[in-house]
Amino acid sequence: MGKISIDFRTGSIKSRNEKIVGIDLGTTNSLIAYIENNHAKIIPIGKNAKGMIPSVIYFNENNEYIIGEEAKDKMILHPESSLYSIKRLMGKTYEEVKDQAQFLMYPLEKNHSTELVKFKIQQHAFSAVELSSFILKEIKKQAESYLNCEIQKAVITVPAYFSDSQRQATRDAGMLAGLEVLRIINEPTAASMAYGIGLNPQDSKQVMVYDFGGGTFDVSVLRIENGIFEVLSTQGDNFLGGDDIDTGIANYWINQNRIPLPDGKSNELRVLAEKAKVHLLTNNSCTFNFGELELTLDKGQLNAIAEPLVNRTISCCIEALKNSHLNTNDIDEIILVGGSSRLALVKEKLQATFHRPINDFLNPDEVVAIGAAIQADILSGNRTDLLLLDITPLSLGIETIGGLMDTIIPRNSKIPLQLARNYTTSRDGQKHLKISVYQGERELVLDNIKLAEFILKDLPPMAAGLPKIEVKFSIDADGILSVTAKELRSGKQQTLEVKSPHKLNEQEIARRLKDSATFAEADANKRAIIELQNEGNYILDNARKFIKQNTAHLSEHEIKEIHSAMDEIVLSLQSGDKRIMEQAIDHFNRSTATIAHRIMDIQLKKSLGGSSIDNI
Ligand code: ADP
Ligand code: MG
């Protein structure tokens, strides 16, 4: 039980029980949900407690704004003062969206290409982050009044393809609205969770999430294994949604009735078109009055209008499946999300194309918010049986001698987690050790992304190979990586927090994975060469030491023989040729084996084992 406090203004008792909510901040509509007694509930915000509010903001001439259904109504007569589809411009610069500006009915501010785009309303300009924060604030306010408690923490959903800056923008919007955003999660992940998929860590499934909303279409193929939701591929169309069907219906009526359309009437007609579309879910035909005219629409006409649009969504699905490298039969189920997925035609076409079970048991408007609430519940610790998992998109590791990448946390590891590896020095008396942290799949660090670097200082002087340095990577539940290096013999240690290992967007991650596959063979070759060079140098160092320490016991002939084998290694290292280096090392080992049998054997064996970090 949480704390109870009394609100002195109203005299009412307020439960301070902490509620963590899930929010679907949609392009068209936004919803908020929470978990009560193990049941997900949509909070009945919006007009007539509908449970969703249109993501629309209307500004009056005094720059006061209203949000939701009332703002959407204003759009009919004041399209220039009603901002909608704000999400499309989230985290984007003017340069990135200027081509889309023509589709919007309100002006954008032409600003510097590196700045985030702003929406112009009268004399003011607002960023998508600010506007989204207004919507979130409104949702929060309405939900708080319904729950009669404060809402401070939330999980917010975003499309799977959102870039890092778009995710950050969403986080910032939450913060501006006075929310602590515990996590940003992918909409298809949330939808799958709403269907209970992945909640049991033993679950192993592959699903296609079909999300047809108001202005956008997204499809994602997910693999869910060990409680990890991996997005295998996403596809979509940012300009394909229910709005296009409305426009299609409006145009059909215009053509049918030869309606002369005065300015401003087209919006009104579109609103009517949407009503007709929704009405046809449960009726075969409908009729509306529009001035003098009687407008009708039946199911067959709706299907004819929607068909080309639905066909485009199906093409995206085929493409997404192809990119996921799965076959149709690998998909366990198709999950329907978004208001427009209610169209009967959607189910028909999906069924005919993929022949897979279609899961539309839940309300497609609500699944994303419900999944977000489930995630929030897990985060609040109410489901102790579940560990919330996220994964590392790329491997994390450090640079070892010769510029090689040594992976400590492999890609796709579940977080939170902690992994350590031991290293040693490569030179006698080495005092400092540089730890360079990298992210990526390539064998050489120069092809990966450098995240951080620090120096473990003042190591006690020891012979090369003697210090035991543990490098530990820990990633907490928020994805923050800390790296600790500790010399185990002396206890010297240093820790560094690396801000975000998830700096990349999905495309960049995909490109890097592709590169690592493309260059796999060349990279393996480079690594082998560097490893041989490291080994050769290690042998040379040890041989010199060996001669120095054992001069008294070695004959002149033996010393000569060792020197000649060393010279051969030196030459082979200069050649940089893998085969020549291998031969030289092999020859050295064989020709010195009898001489150094007892003493050398131990040290040479070591040289073949652990990798060491370069001296600085
Ligand atoms: P978003 O995710 O973009 O915020 P939603 O998932 O809320 O969007 O979907 C909104 C769209 O769903 C609107 O275009 C609306 O007209 C459409 N829609 C709602 N109900 C129906 C229905 N019964 N048939 C067809 N489309 C519908
Ligand atoms: Mg949506």
Side-chain angles (χ1 to χ4, degrees):
M1 272 302 284
K3 291 188 201 125
I4 304 277
S5 70
I6 298 172
D7 184 330
F8 286 108
R9 274 170 304 133
T10 60
S12 67
I13 292 177
K14 225 177 177 179
S15 158
R16 291 287 301 277
N17 215 342
E18 190 181 60
K19 282 260 182 294
I20 309 182
V21 296
I23 299 177
D24 170 7
L25 181 61
T27 313
T28 319
N29 296 304
S30 296
L31 294 88
I32 178 168
Y34 76 113
I35 305 282
E36 190 180 56
N37 302 327
N38 272 329
H39 284 285
K41 277 190 167 170
I42 294 287
I43 303 176
I45 58 168
K47 203 176 173 186
N48 304 327
K50 200 174 162 193
M52 62 158 81
I53 60 171
S55 310
V56 182
I57 310 181
Y58 165 76
F59 285 85
N60 71 11
E61 45 292 341
N62 300 325
N63 248 313
E64 296 151 343
Y65 64 79
I66 49 171
I67 286 173
E69 210 69 53
E70 291 83 359
K72 193 178 167 186
D73 292 342
K74 292 279 185 192
M75 234 160 78
I76 298 175
L77 295 175
H78 306 281
E80 71 299 333
S81 307
S82 306
L83 305 180
Y84 61 94
S85 284
I86 294 156
K87 187 172 173 179
R88 281 189 183 162
L89 308 186
M90 206 58 168
K92 301 238 166 162
T93 63
Y94 179 72
E95 277 302 307
E96 288 173 305
V97 300
K98 63 171 193 262
D99 298 338
Q100 304 181 15
Q102 53 175 317
F103 296 104
L104 304 170
M105 279 183 279
Y106 45 80
L108 297 177
E109 190 184 68
K110 293 189 180 63
N111 59 16
H112 195 264
S113 61
T114 56
E115 272 173 47
L116 292 182
V117 65
K118 292 204 163 169
F119 297 70
K120 252 170 101 172
I121 282 290
Q122 287 125 36
Q123 287 81 36
H124 295 263
F126 297 98
S127 68
V129 171
E130 287 170 286
L131 294 168
S132 300
S133 83
F134 297 161
I135 297 175
L136 287 170
K137 223 184 264 177
E138 179 66 25
I139 296 172
K140 177 177 183 284
K141 193 181 85 189
Q142 292 192 22
E144 280 176 339
S145 120
Y146 173 80
L147 294 173
N148 194 26
C149 83
E150 246 176 88
I151 296 172
Q152 278 158 347
K153 297 179 178 174
V155 168
I156 305 180
T157 58
V158 295
Y161 62 79
F162 251 31
S163 71
D164 230 48
S165 57
Q166 290 174 294
R167 284 163 202 264
Q168 191 55 49
T170 308
R171 234 177 222 287
D172 293 346
M175 209 181 62
L176 277 178
L179 289 166
E180 187 188 331
V181 182
L182 294 183
R183 199 160 289 185
I184 295 286
I185 64 166
N186 288 332
E187 285 159 13
T189 299
S192 310
M193 285 187 116
Y195 275 104
I197 298 168
L199 295 184
N200 178 351
Q202 270 84 46
D203 253 1
S204 171
K205 266 196 176 169
Q206 282 152 169
V207 301
M208 180 186 274
V209 182
Y210 176 102
D211 183 350
F212 200 12
T216 54
F217 170 70
D218 304 309
V219 54
S220 315
V221 178
L222 304 188
R223 173 182 291 144
I224 299 120
E225 224 166 19
N226 304 320
I228 301 170
F229 292 77
E230 187 187 0
V231 180
L232 298 180
S233 67
T234 67
Q235 265 293 319
D237 191 327
N238 247 325
F239 290 92
L240 175 59
D243 296 347
D244 299 300
I245 299 175
D246 305 343
T247 307
I249 297 169
N251 288 340
Y252 165 80
W253 281 335
I254 290 169
N255 292 335
Q256 277 255 312
N257 299 286
R258 303 188 195 289
I259 307 174
L261 260 193
D263 267 359
K265 280 283 182 200
S266 65
N267 278 338
E268 210 176 326
L269 200 60
R270 256 203 300 268
V271 170
L272 219 50
E274 191 192 0
K275 281 208 179 99
K277 177 181 73 177
V278 174
H279 193 80
L280 289 180
L281 180 68
T282 44
N283 301 277
N284 286 323
S285 71
C286 59
T287 306
F288 291 99
N289 291 321
F290 185 71
E292 320 278 79
L293 292 168
E294 211 171 60
L295 302 175
T296 64
L297 191 74
D298 66 28
K299 269 195 174 155
Q301 287 150 348
L302 173 63
N303 278 350
I305 292 164
E307 184 164 14
L309 301 165
V310 175
N311 283 344
R312 276 165 63 194
T313 70
I314 299 292
S315 305
C316 286
C317 294
I318 293 170
E319 190 66 22
L321 188 65
K322 200 177 106 202
N323 294 343
S324 72
H325 302 293
L326 296 182
N327 294 318
T328 310
N329 288 333
D330 298 329
I331 299 293
D332 293 295
E333 58 189 276
I334 300 174
I335 293 172
L336 297 190
V337 182
S340 303
S341 74
R342 284 207 182 85
L343 290 169
L345 204 58
V346 164
K347 248 168 281 177
E348 276 169 34
K349 298 245 172 199
L350 280 171
Q351 184 57 253
T353 314
F354 298 109
H355 310 286
R356 300 310 300 157
I358 295 175
N359 208 338
D360 63 343
F361 174 73
L362 297 172
N363 181 335
D365 295 324
E366 297 178 351
V367 281
V368 170
I370 284 176
I374 293 173
Q375 187 92 312
D377 196 44
I378 296 169
L379 282 172
S380 64
N382 290 341
R383 299 191 176 208
T384 43
D385 53 324
L386 284 173
L387 180 63
L388 189 68
L389 296 166
D390 221 325
I391 56 164
T392 52
L394 292 173
S395 300
L396 296 161
I398 64 166
E399 173 178 2
T400 56
I401 192 161
L404 289 177
M405 170 81 175
D406 201 52
T407 295
I408 296 183
I409 296 186
R411 112 183 181 80
N412 279 348
S413 298
K414 309 163 209 172
I415 61 172
L417 94 164
Q418 185 167 301
L419 283 173
R421 285 190 72 158
N422 286 340
Y423 297 88
T424 188
T425 50
S426 60
R427 301 199 191 152
D428 289 340
Q430 187 170 329
K431 275 168 78 181
H432 304 318
L433 195 75
K434 185 164 73 180
I435 308 286
S436 305
V437 181
Y438 283 85
Q439 180 180 38
E441 307 313 304
R442 303 285 299 275
E443 299 279 4
L444 301 187
V445 291
L446 63 94
D447 295 316
N448 290 331
I449 303 156
K450 188 168 190 168
L451 296 178
E453 178 178 291
F454 66 100
I455 291 161
L456 183 60
K457 283 191 189 132
D458 302 323
L459 296 171
M462 281 188 253
L466 215 55
K468 264 181 102 172
I469 297 146
E470 183 193 73
V471 178
K472 188 160 74 189
F473 276 34
S474 327
I475 307 183
D476 67 14
D478 288 329
I480 310 282
L481 168 70
S482 7
V483 179
T484 304
K486 182 176 183 182
E487 203 291 299
L488 297 175
R489 289 177 206 273
S490 62
K492 272 246 171 301
Q493 82 166 52
Q494 191 154 337
T495 301
L496 181 84
E497 200 170 87
V498 182
K499 263 171 272 127
S500 160
H502 304 285
K503 271 188 186 147
L504 311 167
N505 64 32
E506 313 264 338
Q507 283 98 24
E508 173 124 33
I509 291 168
R511 182 182 68 75
R512 289 188 170 271
L513 292 179
K514 209 173 127 222
D515 279 358
S516 79
T518 314
F519 299 113
E521 205 184 316
D523 276 5
N525 210 32
K526 279 188 207 158
R527 172 180 275 273
I529 289 172
I530 293 169
E531 277 174 352
L532 282 168
Q533 281 167 339
N534 291 345
E535 193 185 331
N537 281 322
Y538 195 84
I539 291 174
L540 291 175
D541 275 355
N542 277 301
R544 277 183 214 114
K545 257 192 267 173
F546 177 82
I547 295 170
K548 210 167 139 195
Q549 284 165 4
N550 302 289
T551 326
H553 310 292
L554 296 168
S555 72
E556 213 169 292
H557 174 74
E558 281 172 330
I559 292 179
K560 240 180 161 174
E561 197 168 340
I562 300 171
H563 271 301
S564 115
M566 285 169 70
D567 288 345
E568 200 185 323
I569 290 185
V570 171
L571 280 174
S572 79
L573 292 185
Q574 283 163 3
S575 80
D577 185 296
K578 203 168 122 190
R579 213 174 40 87
I580 296 175
M581 285 191 280
E582 271 166 359
Q583 276 172 357
I585 290 169
D586 187 51
H587 182 237
F588 180 94
N589 287 339
R590 273 187 292 115
S591 63
T592 58
T594 42
I595 308 170
H597 192 257
R598 275 173 303 112
I599 316 156
M600 272 269 274
D601 205 26
I602 302 157
Q603 291 178 336
L604 284 175
K605 280 266 169 57
K606 223 187 273 167
S607 78
L608 301 173
S611 44
S612 50
I613 303 171
D614 205 359
N615 199 353
I616 53 160

